[in-house]
Amino acid sequence: MRLNYQSCFSRAAAVMETRVFYRRQDAGTPRGGGANRSPRTVLFPGFLRCRAAVLPSMLTFLVIVASGGLLLMIERGMLNSMETSLPRSNAARPERGQAGRRRPVTVDMDTQILQELRNRTIHTMCSQKDLTDNIWSLSELQRKNLLQHILVNDEHHFLYCYVPKVACSNWKRLMKMLSGALDASDFRSKLDHHQDLVFLSSLKPDEIRYRLQHYFKFLFVRDPMERLLSAYRNKFGEIESYQKTFGVKIVKRYRKVDSAKGDDVTFTEFTQYLVDENEERMNEHWMPIYNLCQPCAVSYDFIGSYEHLEQDSEYVLQRIGAPSHIRFPERQTWYKPVTKEILHYYLCTVPQKLLRELFLKYILDFSLFAYSLPNATTQDCRQ
């Protein structure tokens, strides 16, 4: 069932500003500002009148975030004796010989807490009646999007749901190396995103069911707004094919011009385009992670994050039994990261009403993967 975020938002009268504060590093430490000031959440009354499909998810998200400090303190006590991140299911670990054994990964406490928090959040959110918990109950389009984004490795018995702009190119290269289709010396060569890769969509239903039940399943996630900004800067600033297709389309739609090159799309125009699009029919580079990987329909064993990319990738490589010489590559020197300051600058160029609509479009990514809403209110942007 498709969640109609925009119609929900349009019915919320007198919308004011929302700010959600969630900081793992200061869990349990109250913020200053007096006894009447909430340390975590400021809610606007108009939003609480929204009764469409997004409401259960949003309320659950706010409850989880609001109780984040207490939850983290509890988790620290619960997780002190654990040495690795907690999987969500009991997929069998591939057996390996002594040769080429990887060294155990030391997982820090905050990573363990974040992984468990995501697991519990997904379990809670997916219990909502409007979120499908089986891939065969998905619509044809939803299932097609999902199966086309899950890669299969039968030798090491794992499934990887790739998310564009979350290091998926390097993971595809690693998968080719694991299958012997790519040599380490060619790791930096131009990548063909389909050749020598097996997609779950190419298998028969019985083969799909078997792998979903028995294989180790993982994906990597990223802050929703950082991912969108990364896609915007890359596709409209560097890739001519995207400028000529999506760029031209966006400029003509929102500037009402007859001709355009598509190389000067503003971030506000891109934001308006995303708000107006059906999330299930978006280009994969800005389609919500929820729609790409359907974490309610697929029980992933591990959810890594872009923020802990190297450590989480090494954990996965160890978990799937990858040879010790295969390592996740370091970022290139020319890589331009999306910093908090850069993201703040771009978000502050977008009108507040449009920005709130954008947040609602990606609310499941924020809530399911425990990312806080950006501080981009009018007051924040003036500072």
Side-chain angles (χ1 to χ4, degrees), residues 4-12 47 50-55 360:
N4 192 345
Y5 306 128
Q6 190 164 354
S7 63
C8 170
F9 187 85
S10 65
R11 290 196 294 272
F47 188 80
C50 178
R51 290 297 182 265
V54 73
L55 183 58
L360 281 177

Side-chain angles (χ1 to χ4, degrees), residues 264-280:
D264 61 345
V265 177
T266 68
F267 189 67
T268 295
E269 290 171 334
F270 179 56
T271 299
Q272 185 66 66
Y273 170 73
L274 296 176
V275 168
D276 293 341
E277 284 289 286
N278 179 333
E279 59 269 14
E280 293 177 2

Side-chain angles (χ1 to χ4, degrees), residues 13-295:
V15 174
M16 298 174 67
E17 297 173 344
T18 295
R19 299 179 66 184
V20 178
F21 298 93
Y22 177 78
R23 298 290 185 267
R24 288 184 298 126
Q25 61 267 31
D26 66 348
T29 303
R31 298 171 65 95
N36 295 326
R37 180 178 178 183
S38 170
R40 294 293 170 190
T41 309
V42 180
L43 294 178
F44 46 85
F47 188 80
L48 294 180
R49 292 197 291 271
C50 178
R51 290 297 182 265
V54 73
L55 183 58
S57 297
M58 188 61 180
L59 288 179
T60 304
F61 171 52
L62 293 176
V63 169
I64 291 170
V65 173
S67 61
L70 177 60
L71 176 61
L72 288 176
M73 287 190 293
I74 294 174
E75 293 290 355
R76 286 185 184 278
M78 292 174 61
L79 298 176
N80 280 339
S81 63
M82 297 184 179
E83 298 180 353
T84 60
S85 300
L86 299 177
R88 294 183 61 206
S89 67
N90 296 319
R93 180 176 301 189
E95 296 183 1
R96 305 186 60 224
Q98 295 296 324
R101 183 178 296 277
R102 308 182 75 89
R103 297 182 61 183
V105 178
T106 301
V107 181
D108 61 66
M109 182 62 62
D110 283 349
T111 301
Q112 295 177 42
I113 292 171
L114 180 59
Q115 187 66 207
E116 178 64 9
L117 177 59
R118 282 183 175 140
N119 290 346
R120 295 188 181 194
T121 304
I122 290 173
H123 176 77
T124 301
M125 298 290 292
C126 292
S127 65
Q128 302 295 326
K129 63 181 180 180
D130 53 356
L131 299 179
T132 304
D133 61 358
N134 186 296
I135 70 165
W136 309 109
S137 300
L138 297 171
S139 70
E140 183 177 351
L141 178 58
Q142 290 172 331
R143 187 163 57 252
K144 178 181 177 182
N145 284 333
L146 171 64
L147 298 182
Q148 287 181 343
H149 283 85
I150 295 184
L151 294 167
V152 183
N153 183 287
D154 286 325
E155 180 182 356
H156 295 276
H157 302 88
F158 71 85
L159 301 177
Y160 161 56
C161 185
Y162 79 87
V163 178
K165 309 311 298 179
V166 191
C168 73
S169 294
N170 280 341
W171 265 107
K172 288 178 179 178
R173 289 188 174 96
L174 281 174
M175 293 192 70
K176 291 187 178 188
M177 289 181 64
L178 288 170
S179 66
L182 182 69
D183 188 82
S185 60
D186 298 325
F187 198 89
R188 293 300 178 186
S189 60
K190 186 176 180 179
L191 176 67
D192 186 315
H193 287 265
H194 292 87
Q195 185 177 1
D196 299 317
L197 293 171
V198 179
F199 295 82
L200 205 57
S201 58
S202 67
L203 304 181
K204 298 177 181 179
D206 288 345
E207 296 173 326
I208 293 173
R209 290 188 181 92
Y210 178 84
R211 285 160 178 78
L212 286 172
Q213 182 178 354
H214 297 284
Y215 281 20
F216 178 75
K217 302 171 290 295
F218 70 94
L219 77 152
F220 278 77
V221 299
R222 185 178 186 179
D223 179 282
M225 294 299 105
E226 289 187 12
R227 176 173 170 251
L228 288 186
L229 180 54
S230 177
Y232 166 78
R233 296 169 74 190
N234 173 241
K235 301 306 176 185
F236 298 107
E238 303 173 7
I239 311 299
E240 186 176 357
S241 62
Y242 275 76
Q243 295 171 357
K244 290 183 176 180
T245 52
F246 294 98
V248 169
K249 178 181 179 180
I250 292 171
V251 170
K252 287 185 176 181
R253 178 185 296 183
Y254 300 111
R255 296 186 200 171
K256 308 299 182 183
V257 297
D258 295 329
S259 62
K261 293 183 178 180
D263 59 352
D264 61 345
V265 177
T266 68
F267 189 67
T268 295
E269 290 171 334
F270 179 56
T271 299
Q272 185 66 66
Y273 170 73
L274 296 176
V275 168
D276 293 341
E277 284 289 286
N278 179 333
E279 59 269 14
E280 293 177 2
R281 298 183 182 276
M282 286 180 174
N283 179 272
E284 64 175 8
H285 290 87
W286 41 81
M287 182 182 288
I289 298 175
Y290 173 82
N291 297 91
L292 288 172
C293 295
Q294 296 288 344

Side-chain angles (χ1 to χ4, degrees), residues 282-322:
M282 286 180 174
N283 179 272
E284 64 175 8
H285 290 87
W286 41 81
M287 182 182 288
I289 298 175
Y290 173 82
N291 297 91
L292 288 172
C293 295
Q294 296 288 344
C296 290
V298 177
S299 181
Y300 291 97
D301 300 290
F302 184 78
I303 299 176
S305 65
Y306 192 80
E307 296 77 17
H308 303 91
L309 183 60
E310 289 78 13
Q311 176 179 283
D312 288 354
S313 295
E314 181 59 28
Y315 172 80
V316 171
L317 289 172
Q318 174 185 302
R319 185 68 172 76
I320 64 176

